[in-house]
Amino acid sequence: MDYALEIKGLEKCYSKGNKVLKGIDIKIEEGIVAGFIGMNGAGKTTTIKSILGLVVPNAGEIKIFGKSFKENEKEIKNRIGIVFDNGYLYEDLKLSEMKQIFAAAYTKWDEDNYKKYIKNFELNEKQKVKELSKGMKMKFSLALALSHHADLLIMDEPTSGLDPKIRKEFLDIIREFIIDVGKTVFFSTHITTDLDKIADQIIMLNAGEVIFNKDKDILIDEHALVKGDKTILTNDNRKWFVALEERGFSFEGLTNQRERVRQEMKQALCERPTIEDIMVAYMGR
């Protein structure tokens, strides 16, 4: 099996006793969209910065397309496209000037491809970065990331703060990118409805540890959102829930023992959960 990204035993401490990453293991197959979720401070951005060599981990190994990042940094960076929420575009530069900086960094820069994206995204290269709206900045970042034939697109909160129309356009571009054989997306986001639409795999990080790393459909099928009258709850079946909320005469909870609940709590209503339902339940636990 070919992996676009392999992380093994990754640890990071920013100060003594403050371990942000606690030996995490992640594998992402080529040709999929992997959603990376978790609350603020879970360690998602530190993980992404470690992958890109922007943070030096204390321990662990990172391989991209089967090769060590440390030993093959230039080759690997040529195969990665990056879209961050903020922090790496020079606000006072014109788009054309920003493009020149990016183009010089990649051996496979495709100017025709770049011009196509600029036209399709209706971007004006004479504008300065700081004059762009949040949505237009994200489109420009995506144009830069996709114009050197990247095989792995790494995105950190790219749709945060975008209106629904721009978010839909953004996700459509990602779908178009992933159509090419072998293209892979690693997508960190708080907006889990985006992942409901495009993700194949879901990885959840909490307090520096991987809580789950599963195929999205399998993850959802293993869980159920359960509602019912509190009288059917017992000390035993309460243990079947990841999270359980009791209020008044009723209860609502998320279980990872869906079939058992269906068979033994027949009066309860079982519904298909969203990724957000699952994430919030595990965070609460």
Side-chain angles (χ1 to χ4, degrees):
M1 185 175 295
D2 294 324
Y3 292 102
L5 177 64
E6 297 173 81
I7 298 174
K8 185 175 181 180
L10 192 66
E11 295 183 6
K12 179 61 185 176
C13 297
Y14 284 115
S15 61
K16 188 175 181 181
N18 179 23
K19 189 174 282 191
V20 180
L21 299 177
K22 303 173 183 177
I24 67 171
D25 297 330
I26 295 173
K27 287 186 178 182
I28 299 172
E29 294 178 32
E30 291 185 23
I32 69 167
V33 177
F36 195 32
I37 63 175
M39 65 189 296
N40 287 334
K44 302 190 304 301
T45 297
T46 298
T47 301
I48 289 174
K49 287 184 175 180
S50 298
I51 294 167
L52 299 174
L54 302 175
V55 163
V56 179
N58 297 95
E61 182 181 24
I62 298 171
K63 287 186 179 181
I64 299 176
F65 299 109
K67 297 183 178 182
S68 168
F69 185 84
K70 290 181 181 179
E71 299 169 5
N72 303 273
E73 185 173 345
K74 187 173 181 180
E75 176 189 347
I76 288 171
K77 282 187 174 179
N78 264 308
R79 299 185 67 184
I80 297 175
I82 306 166
V83 180
F84 279 5
D85 179 29
N86 53 44
Y88 76 104
L89 296 176
Y90 298 119
E91 294 285 317
D92 289 323
L93 291 185
K94 293 179 181 178
L95 272 59
S96 58
E97 295 169 332
M98 193 74 236
K99 184 268 294 187
Q100 291 297 333
I101 295 173
F102 261 74
Y106 297 103
T107 58
K108 293 184 178 180
W109 181 264
D110 188 331
E111 187 68 15
D112 290 337
N113 218 29
Y114 169 75
K115 293 294 186 185
K116 180 192 74 174
Y117 283 117
I118 291 297
K119 182 179 179 180
N120 289 348
F121 296 166
E122 299 179 339
L123 292 166
N124 180 359
E125 285 194 281
K126 295 180 180 179
Q127 279 188 294
K128 291 186 176 182
V129 172
K130 66 183 178 183
E131 296 171 346
L132 300 178
S133 67
K134 178 70 180 289
M136 298 306 275
K137 280 183 182 178
M138 286 297 101
K139 286 185 176 183
F140 180 55
S141 294
L142 201 53
L144 295 173
L146 299 179
S147 293
H148 63 278
H149 300 286
D151 296 309
L152 171 61
L153 187 59
I154 297 177
M155 304 190 294
D156 190 15
E157 302 290 346
T159 57
S160 175
L162 301 185
D163 66 53
K165 180 178 181 295
I166 298 295
R167 275 175 45 216
K168 182 182 182 303
E169 292 175 2
F170 196 94
L171 295 178
D172 287 342
I173 295 163
I174 301 307
R175 287 192 187 95
E176 185 179 330
F177 171 77
I178 206 73
I179 287 173
D180 289 346
V181 176
K183 300 293 186 182
T184 308
V185 176
F186 186 46
F187 186 176
S188 166
T189 183
H190 284 96
I191 306 175
T192 54
T193 51
D194 290 344
L195 300 180
D196 282 314
K197 297 171 184 174
I198 66 168
D200 303 295
Q201 177 181 349
I202 302 293
I203 303 157
M204 180 176 172
L205 201 66
N206 194 42
E209 298 179 305
V210 175
I211 305 302
F212 51 72
N213 180 0
K214 291 191 175 184
D215 177 281
K216 181 190 72 177
D217 293 332
I218 291 174
L219 177 69
I220 291 174
D221 286 344
E222 286 178 346
H223 292 81
L225 198 61
V226 186
K227 301 175 183 178
D229 192 292
K230 267 196 339 186
T231 57
I232 65 174
L233 290 175
T234 66
N235 289 335
D236 286 334
N237 63 31
R238 280 185 172 88
K239 298 174 184 177
W240 304 344
F241 290 87
V242 175
L244 182 64
E245 183 179 355
E246 300 177 44
R247 50 182 182 270
F249 298 101
S250 64
F251 75 89
E252 179 175 319
L254 184 90
T255 181
N256 56 6
Q257 300 186 49
R258 187 187 66 170
E259 293 308 314
R260 187 173 188 179
V261 168
R262 282 183 171 175
Q263 291 172 12
E264 300 187 34
M265 298 178 71
K266 295 186 183 298
Q267 303 100 314
L269 174 66
C270 291
E271 299 178 346
R272 182 179 175 86
T274 63
I275 294 172
E276 182 171 339
D277 292 328
I278 296 171
M279 181 181 76
V280 169
Y282 278 90
M283 282 167 51
R285 184 175 68 170

